[in-house]
Amino acid sequence: MGCVSRAAVIMGLMLAWGGVARAGVQKVASDTGWRAGAARAVLTPTQGQFLSGYGSRRPAAGKRHDVWAKALALQARGGRPAVLVTTDLVGVSKGTYDRIADAAQKRFGLSRAELMLTYSHNHCAPVTTECLPDYYPLNNAEWREVGEYTAGMETRIVRLIGEALGKLAPARLSAGEGLATFAVNRRNNREAEVPERRAKGETLAGPVDHSVPVLSVRDPEDRLLAVAFGYACHPTTLSDDQWCGDYPGYAQIELEKTHPGATALFWTGCGGDQNPLPRRTVALCRTYGNQLAAAVEAVVQSGMRPVRPDLRTSFEFVKLEFERRPTREELQRDTSSPNSVRARWARRVLPMVDGGHSFPAHCDYGVQVWRLGEDLRWIALGGEAVVDYAIRFRREYGPHTWIGGYAHDMVGYVPSRRVWREGGYEAEFIYEYGWLAYRWTEDTEDRIAAAVGRLMKRVR
Ligand SMILES: [Zn+2]
């Protein structure tokens, strides 16, 4: 190779890295081909706003620890960057997701495929605009406060994405999977019986996903820069009046304590039907957080698989259809339902139905697939997908497939065909998320699986 062509190669490399002449970029010997950058922002409200997740009135009285948004930007040699955003929020509306995605596109050139926006579904987080719109008994002034908070939160997340991209620097990526066992299938086990059955060493009923996927990011000096990890379980250990991140909050704090300077990012798996049981004490919440952190730490310490510098991203909105519209008689009946959320929903939508309001005819459901290196496939599904999706996709796409739920916008529970047929809370309460419907169609799982199949082909 002559001097000119070598110079051209070096120039090409520099362009591929974004053209920034940093000292680290030229360390080709230790160059893994990855660049990464992490950033974080506090999302804890400064005022005594309302806590989310439960259908009761819960103004916050203080904080146990902060509620965070964190971002991890990744870029493989010669490729485009992508950003994972994790938040300790209960969910975000389609409006919030669209505004953040649009701003990320305009300001940083990120497509939807390149932005993985997630929320842990933490129930000790603030209420946000249009997410579970009939869940909370708030008055107009209180909703205005929520709107102001939400607008500020969206701005902070967009800024955070820019900060993570601005910090892109040479890094080494590794992946592995651990195990934590506190998630319990809440459809198949009575909450009150779980402690005794656990004490007796009995196997609890129902499918679970106890895997703990871990992505570690190290700088060229081998310091841990970031660790992103997932777990399929509702963050609903606590239900009191203090801001915190529930068990994922404790897990992130513990990992950041063990690795000063590192950013820990948590995303929730397909835990729509999974609860941390038993629950409702701070001690249990901390214990689950520590268990999860220990599972992550064990993976980090036990030799992870290096991830080759290759990052491919894909995304599509697939149509989810409603089984049927409620009749006017059903809505009228529901206005006096003993279920306060159902009653609030019916009282809100009935006049809209009578006034000829045009409700969405279907749901645009976000499905995303990233591929990192040769065999790490990372699926991110919208809303509260039940555990069957994780089990199915791991079986279909291999053990190194990570399946996240609680991504994009909070569309509601997403039952598998099995759960749809069984019925119950995760199958027939989508009106709680504002839809004019009680449930999706029976083929919901087929639609999502077909979309995942198409996206898998695109990242191959
Ligand atoms: Zn939930």
Side-chain angles (χ1 to χ4, degrees):
M1 186 185 285
C3 289
V4 174
S5 62
R6 196 156 54 224
V9 168
I10 291 168
M11 182 59 76
L13 269 175
M14 287 178 70
L15 285 172
W17 289 97
V20 182
R22 294 174 192 219
V25 176
Q26 289 161 20
K27 275 207 253 167
V28 179
S30 63
D31 173 15
T32 66
W34 282 107
R35 295 202 305 155
R40 57 169 71 201
V42 170
L43 294 185
T44 320
T46 47
Q47 299 167 357
Q49 239 172 262
F50 287 84
L51 288 118
S52 59
Y54 301 103
S56 54
R57 204 179 157 77
R58 290 195 303 150
K63 77 170 174 189
R64 194 160 282 118
H65 53 243
D66 276 314
V67 172
W68 291 89
K70 296 172 182 175
L72 176 62
L74 300 171
Q75 184 177 26
R77 182 168 35 225
R80 295 175 51 78
V83 180
L84 164 71
V85 176
T86 63
T87 63
D88 296 326
L89 296 172
V90 78
V92 299
S93 69
K94 182 71 163 45
T96 290
Y97 172 45
D98 284 349
R99 283 187 290 276
I100 291 173
D102 289 350
Q105 168 84 62
K106 276 195 200 102
R107 290 178 56 177
F108 315 118
L110 287 181
S111 67
R112 290 235 183 205
E114 292 158 353
L115 172 66
M116 191 187 285
L117 176 67
T118 69
Y119 33 89
S120 73
H121 197 44
N122 167 33
H123 283 39
C124 301
V127 173
T128 57
T129 305
E130 289 171 356
C131 182
L132 294 153
D134 301 300
Y135 230 61
Y136 314 105
L138 307 190
N139 62 33
N140 289 342
E142 289 161 345
W143 275 119
R144 265 197 301 280
E145 252 181 56
V146 167
E148 284 162 21
Y149 168 81
T150 305
M153 173 270 283
E154 291 171 6
T155 304
R156 261 177 288 179
I157 288 178
V158 173
R159 204 163 50 211
L160 185 70
I161 293 168
E163 284 169 18
L165 287 166
K167 289 183 176 176
L168 279 169
R172 181 160 62 85
L173 264 61
S174 308
E177 292 84 19
L179 195 73
T181 57
F182 59 84
V184 175
N185 192 304
R186 68 188 194 186
R187 292 171 58 84
N188 301 104
N189 298 279
R190 287 169 61 94
E191 183 161 346
E193 293 170 3
V194 168
E196 196 186 331
R197 296 189 57 190
R198 274 199 192 278
K200 284 184 187 162
E202 287 178 20
T203 305
L204 296 170
V208 293
D209 175 13
H210 282 164
S211 68
V212 181
V214 182
L215 180 73
S216 78
V217 181
R218 293 183 179 274
D219 69 11
E221 276 73 48
D222 210 35
R223 286 182 300 243
L224 194 69
L225 189 78
V227 58
F229 61 105
Y231 192 56
C233 185
H234 264 65
T236 51
T237 323
L238 296 173
S239 58
D240 62 7
D241 60 1
Q242 302 288 309
W243 303 120
C244 75
D246 206 271
Y247 77 80
Y250 281 111
Q252 291 171 82
I253 288 169
E254 187 62 24
L255 287 162
E256 288 173 357
K257 224 189 298 171
T258 309
H259 302 278
T263 299
L265 304 93
F266 174 82
W267 50 273
T268 302
C270 298
D273 48 355
Q274 310 289 311
N275 270 348
L277 299 181
R279 55 183 179 167
R280 303 301 189 218
T281 70
V282 177
L284 280 167
C285 192
R286 196 188 293 270
T287 300
Y288 297 146
N290 289 346
Q291 275 180 23
L292 187 53
V296 173
E297 192 60 26
V299 175
V300 167
Q301 299 299 338
S302 66
M304 304 170 73
R305 305 184 300 279
V307 180
R308 260 196 11 199
D310 189 7
L311 173 60
R312 295 164 195 226
T313 63
S314 62
F315 180 95
E316 79 171 66
F317 282 119
V318 62
K319 264 188 198 177
L320 298 192
E321 306 278 358
F322 307 119
E323 184 192 30
R324 64 177 180 82
R325 294 292 198 201
T327 63
R328 197 182 183 288
E329 290 64 40
E330 284 170 324
L331 286 174
Q332 186 65 58
R333 179 202 65 201
D334 285 344
T335 58
S336 48
S337 168
N339 174 337
S340 59
V341 177
R342 196 171 187 123
R344 263 197 297 278
W345 164 74
R347 282 183 219 133
R348 180 175 65 85
V349 298
L350 186 55
M352 295 167 78
V353 169
D354 287 345
H357 181 86
S358 126
F359 287 87
H362 65 267
C363 162
D364 285 320
Y365 180 74
V367 180
Q368 187 172 30
V369 177
W370 283 5
R371 203 194 81 193
L372 291 87
E374 263 160 282
D375 65 349
L376 174 52
R377 295 172 179 85
W378 191 340
I379 301 169
L381 303 176
E384 310 205 47
V386 298
V387 76
D388 293 350
Y389 286 95
I391 293 165
R392 173 179 178 160
F393 292 140
R394 199 173 297 123
R395 187 181 65 233
E396 290 181 359
Y397 299 109
H400 299 155
T401 305
W402 297 355
I403 307 100
Y406 301 91
H408 327 309
D409 58 309
M410 175 50 105
V411 301
Y413 280 98
V414 184
S416 58
R417 185 180 290 274
R418 174 185 70 84
V419 168
W420 191 96
R421 284 186 176 161
E422 288 173 4
Y425 186 59
E426 294 82 359
E428 46 199 326
F429 283 71
I430 60 168
Y431 66 84
E432 290 191 351
Y433 301 82
W435 302 108
L436 183 64
Y438 296 110
R439 47 159 55 193
W440 309 112
T441 48
E442 187 180 357
D443 64 352
T444 293
E445 178 178 336
D446 305 340
R447 290 165 182 257
I448 295 171
V452 168
R454 288 189 292 274
L455 297 176
M456 283 288 179
K457 280 187 195 138
R458 268 195 244 160
V459 300
R460 204 152 56 196

